[in-house]
Amino acid sequence: SYVYKGGKIYKAPADEKEALTSSLMGMFEKRRFRSFLIYVQDFNKDDPKTWKDVDPSRTTGAQLYEKFGLDKDTADFTGHALALHRDDDYLSKPCHDLINRV
């Protein structure tokens, strides 16, 4: 997927390696996003040990982004370019769908 930001088109990072080389984010945001992607990759709905204090049926998408300290721009391209949500309604719903889509 691609993101239009500041008059330019960028490739949305889809894994932790791309997250660290993306020009979409600053250095600290890259590290937070990488941690988020590793969490999503390691998440197993059948193994609560992989949830890391996040109940996917109670924690909202917005709360999940907040837990990892992701800024609004990063949350926007994650929700829309990676998870392919058409609107922001997913932010107030349980995050299990967001995790599965990413």
Side-chain angles (χ1 to χ4, degrees):
S1 293
Y2 293 87
V3 176
Y4 182 78
K5 179 183 175 188
K8 293 184 178 181
I9 297 175
Y10 300 90
K11 182 179 184 316
D15 61 30
E16 59 269 13
K17 184 178 177 184
E18 289 180 3
L20 291 175
T21 60
S22 174
S23 56
L24 266 174
M25 301 170 276
M27 182 176 61
F28 296 112
E29 187 67 9
K30 287 178 184 181
R31 292 181 183 271
R32 290 188 292 265
F33 186 63
R34 179 180 179 270
S35 295
F36 172 79
L37 288 177
I38 290 171
Y39 170 79
V40 168
Q41 180 181 1
D42 294 343
F43 184 86
N44 179 346
K45 67 178 175 128
D46 299 324
D47 184 1
K49 288 183 239 172
T50 66
W51 297 2
K52 299 181 183 170
D53 300 325
V54 173
D55 182 344
S57 63
R58 293 186 181 191
T59 305
T60 66
Q63 291 169 326
L64 183 64
Y65 290 147
E66 189 176 307
K67 176 180 174 50
F68 286 91
L70 300 181
D71 70 19
K72 182 171 177 9
D73 289 338
T74 305
D76 280 347
F77 78 71
T78 301
H80 299 293
L82 297 180
L84 302 178
H85 287 283
R86 290 183 290 186
D87 54 37
D88 287 343
D89 290 347
Y90 78 95
L91 291 171
S92 60
K93 295 179 180 173
C95 66
H96 59 82
D97 183 53
L98 172 63
I99 292 170
N100 289 333
R101 286 177 171 228
V102 171

